[in-house]
């Protein structure tokens, strides 16, 4: 368990760097990156900023970090391209903005936010999403700029077909601000070697992210096909609406997905309306960063299979 208390604890933030089978060599850097992202969001919340700003900026940091499967560092699809998905949700309005298969945007989560705030629509995909980014004044980034040396090397080796590469992960953040408003942000390069055009759970409202000020906010990671079929983020918020704490909802979600998929390969982070935090992953590892009730930042690679006890 990350944190659980009946005391009001606002503001509050937790971030993840993706559920998966991370190689041991990346543990220190992945946990430190998650902690740094939480600190970035926390500084915004501490200054009286909004949960939306906190989760967006925390996620921007992880999108720029080459270790995570989002923005720079994203997995390559079968053609060697980066196609990125993102979703931001606003717990106050139950509004969201989503983008899928964007190829030329440095921060897909920021484009998702602009979709939510600057258009009458909710979801843009593919070339149209990249065109929207341009219309909204975002710089066009060549797709190759997202390809790290590591991902290029893996692609070349993989297309030779002889190595096993552990999966890294999607990134996300959930927060409650001092006004009690909540938000989630989730951003990904999707699954390694995915077919062109494949989109996972990340941009799907209720699957990759969800926020409702009455209950909580959640961001998911792992095999998107599993998170979509279980509407994972909406599932945990429904458990909170029934009276579960953030961590109880997370643990219930682990048993729920294990009942569907063998093995399941998922993770989630949650904040409830009291500012309590919850997290679980059914994978060996999931980098998380969070701020405890004393304002101290933490980063870890997760813990046991069902939660972080
Ligand atoms: N969870 C990210 C994906 O499956 O695309």
């Amino acid at each position: 368990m990350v944190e659980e208390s009946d005391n009001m604890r606002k503001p509050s933030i937790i971030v993840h760097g993706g559920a998966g089978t991370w190689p041991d060599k990346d543990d220190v850097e992945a946990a430190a990156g998650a902690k740094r992202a939480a600190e970035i969001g926390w500084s915004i919340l501490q200054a009286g900023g909004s949960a939306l700003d906190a989760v967006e900026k925390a996620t921007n940091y992880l999108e720029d970090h080459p270790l995570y499967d989002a923005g720079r560092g994203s997995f390559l699809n079968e053609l060697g391209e980066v196609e990125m998905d993102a979703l931001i949700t606003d717990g106050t309005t139950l509004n969201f903005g989503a983008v899928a298969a964007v190829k030329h945007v440095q921060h897909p989560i920021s484009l998702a936010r602009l979709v939510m705030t600057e258009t009458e629509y909710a979801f843009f995909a593919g070339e149209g999403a990249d065109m929207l980014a341009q219309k909204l004044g975002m710089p066009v980034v060549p797709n190759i700029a997202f390809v790290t040396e590591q991902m290029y090397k893996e692609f070349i080796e993989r297309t030779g077909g002889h190595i096993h590469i552990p999966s890294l992960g999607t990134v996300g953040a959930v927060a409650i601000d001092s006004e009690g408003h909540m938000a989630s942000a989730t951003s990904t390069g999707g699954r390694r070697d995915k077919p062109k055009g494949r989109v996972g759970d990340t941009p799907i409202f209720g699957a990759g992210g969800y926020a409702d000020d009455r209950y909580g906010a959640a961001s998911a990671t792992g095999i998107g096909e599993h998170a979509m079929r279980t509407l994972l983020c909406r599932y945990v918020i429904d458990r909170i609406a029934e009276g579960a704490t953030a961590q109880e909802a997370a643990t219930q979600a682990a048993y729920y997905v294990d009942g569907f998929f063998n093995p399941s390969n998922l993770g989630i982070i949650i904040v409830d309306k009291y500012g309590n935090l919850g997290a679980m992953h059914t994978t060996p590892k999931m980098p998380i960063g969070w701020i405890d009730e004393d304002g101290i930042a933490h980063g870890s690679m997760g813990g046991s299979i069902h939660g972080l006890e």
Side-chain angles (χ1 to χ4, degrees), residues 30-302:
K35 176 181 172 186
R36 181 71 199 123
E39 287 171 337
I40 288 167
W42 181 242
S43 66
I44 292 167
L45 296 170
Q46 283 290 92
S50 70
L52 276 166
D53 285 343
V55 297
E56 180 187 354
K57 297 302 177 208
T59 301
N60 287 162
Y61 173 80
L62 296 169
E63 288 174 329
D64 287 340
H65 197 306
L67 199 56
Y68 305 98
D69 174 28
R72 186 161 171 269
S74 289
F75 288 137
L76 307 189
N77 69 14
E78 61 184 354
L79 301 182
E81 302 166 322
V82 166
E83 291 185 314
M84 301 168 286
D85 312 324
L87 167 71
I88 195 160
T89 77
D90 178 352
T92 307
T93 58
L94 287 186
N95 201 358
F96 73 93
V99 294
V102 294
K103 291 169 61 177
H104 299 288
V105 177
Q106 182 183 356
H107 294 133
I109 199 66
S110 298
L111 178 58
R113 187 166 180 187
L114 290 173
V115 167
M116 179 172 75
T117 58
E118 303 301 319
T119 81
E120 61 183 293
Y121 308 106
F123 199 154
F124 278 74
E127 204 181 335
D130 280 313
M131 283 167 58
L132 176 72
Q134 258 184 283
K135 277 186 215 151
L136 293 171
M138 297 180 93
V140 180
V141 180
N143 196 251
I144 192 72
F146 299 108
V147 181
T148 56
E149 191 181 338
Q150 171 75 5
M151 286 301 160
Y152 180 73
K153 195 169 137 253
E154 289 183 5
F155 179 75
I156 297 299
E157 287 177 334
R158 188 168 63 255
T159 46
H162 54 264
I163 59 166
H164 168 75
I165 305 147
S167 62
L168 309 182
T170 296
V171 306
V174 295
I176 182 168
D177 60 31
S178 51
E179 304 288 322
H181 298 312
M182 284 184 262
S184 78
T186 315
S187 185
T188 192
R191 293 176 65 174
R192 172 183 283 110
D193 207 23
K194 64 187 179 183
K196 183 174 175 61
R198 176 269 182 191
V199 175
D201 63 306
T202 296
I204 308 298
F205 190 57
Y210 197 74
D212 182 333
D213 283 1
R214 294 172 298 172
Y215 308 118
S219 169
T221 165
I223 301 290
E225 286 66 23
H226 293 185
M228 283 189 277
R229 288 172 62 191
T230 51
L231 272 183
L232 190 59
C233 288
R234 178 59 194 252
Y235 175 86
V236 296
I237 300 305
D238 284 349
R239 302 292 75 76
I240 292 173
E242 290 169 356
T245 64
Q247 186 56 41
E248 286 167 353
T251 303
Q252 286 178 37
Y255 288 107
Y256 178 61
V257 298
D258 274 354
F260 269 97
F261 308 108
N262 182 18
S264 69
N265 187 320
L266 290 165
I268 199 162
I269 52 170
I270 308 170
V271 62
D272 67 25
K273 67 179 176 181
Y274 303 110
N276 297 317
L277 304 176
M280 75 84 188
H281 52 104
T282 64
T283 55
K285 296 179 187 175
M286 179 175 78
I288 52 167
W290 74 99
I291 308 296
D292 71 19
E293 54 193 1
D294 298 320
I296 309 294
H298 300 269
S300 86
M301 291 303 283

